[in-house]
Amino acid sequence: MERWDQATGAALVVDPKRGALRPSTDYEDFSHLERAEQVIATAPGGGWQVHWKDEGPGGTPLTEQVPAWLITSQGRATAITVDAQGHVEDADGADAFIPPGENPVS
């Protein structure tokens, strides 16, 4: 949501096809708004790694570097990873967070 329509009170959201704001009530599948944390800063990964027990090829262990952390307005830090294909994802589902200088989990 970007802002509220002052006349109707409807939430206005970005319509990327039109390149304009539209009332959320224009969408047939709109059901409700949810509070989202706003990213307000980033921090370097600092040598941290994340580990998954079975996310590698064929269900093998996978360890990836954390190039950055996203910091939200609520003070939450989310680790970001980049896979071999260049896809950026959060690491919220990781099995372990490995501090700098420690070996990956076996």
Side-chain angles (χ1 to χ4, degrees), residues 4 17 23 31 33-34 36 38 46-47 52 56 61-62 65 69 77 81 84 91 104:
W4 303 100
K17 290 180 182 176
S31 65
L33 295 174
E34 290 186 20
Q38 182 178 13
W52 293 269
L62 174 66
Q65 294 291 320
W69 296 88
T81 61

Side-chain angles (χ1 to χ4, degrees), residues 3 6 12-14 19 103:
R3 64 179 177 217
Q6 290 186 8
L12 298 175
V13 295
V14 174
N103 290 326

Side-chain angles (χ1 to χ4, degrees), residues 49-54 61-64 93-98 104-106:
Q49 298 178 72
V50 290
H51 179 80
W52 293 269
K53 295 176 184 174
D54 58 2
L62 174 66
T63 301
E64 292 182 339
D95 295 312
F97 288 82
I98 305 163
V105 178
S106 323

Side-chain angles (χ1 to χ4, degrees), residues 17-82:
K17 290 180 182 176
R18 289 186 183 174
L21 293 175
R22 286 179 58 190
S24 57
T25 53
D26 281 1
Y27 295 90
E28 289 181 22
D29 59 349
F30 175 78
S31 65
H32 65 281
L33 295 174
E34 290 186 20
R35 183 175 298 277
E37 294 183 60
Q38 182 178 13
V39 174
I40 59 169
T42 59
W48 280 82
Q49 298 178 72
V50 290
H51 179 80
W52 293 269
K53 295 176 184 174
D54 58 2
E55 293 293 320
T60 60
L62 174 66
T63 301
E64 292 182 339
Q65 294 291 320
V66 174
W69 296 88
L70 300 180
I71 312 300
T72 70
S73 57
Q74 301 299 316
R76 187 170 97 104
T78 299
I80 298 300
T81 61
V82 180

